[in-house]
Amino acid sequence: MSTDQKGTRILARTFFNQLRASGYTPHQVIGIATELLELVTTDIKEGEKATAVQAAQEQAPERRPQA
């Protein structure tokens, strides 16, 4: 397992343990995890859209204002 994977695993385990120690139920932890996944998915999609728009703008000829 790479160092990056170990760090991610440690962070997830720590977050989980803190949630459980704070009184969150397993179902609430699943809800939090689901929300995190939705946020990451949205972030990725928005990043892909921005990249596609930028690429399209770079490929399109420059438009000059007409007088």
Side-chain angles (χ1 to χ4, degrees):
M1 184 179 295
S2 74
T3 304
D4 208 30
Q5 289 173 326
K6 287 179 185 177
T8 302
R9 188 172 190 172
I10 290 168
L11 179 61
R13 186 177 301 272
T14 301
F15 185 46
F16 172 79
N17 289 336
Q18 288 178 344
L19 289 171
R20 293 295 284 140
S22 296
Y24 287 87
T25 66
H27 284 91
Q28 289 172 316
V29 173
I30 289 171
I32 292 167
T34 301
E35 183 62 28
L36 284 169
L37 287 170
E38 288 177 15
L39 290 168
V40 170
T41 301
T42 300
D43 192 48
I44 290 170
K45 287 179 181 178
E46 288 175 358
E48 289 172 351
K49 283 182 189 177
T51 301
V53 167
Q54 185 179 12
Q57 289 174 345
E58 289 172 358
Q59 292 177 355
E62 286 187 39
R63 294 184 182 207
R64 297 188 179 139
Q66 296 179 354

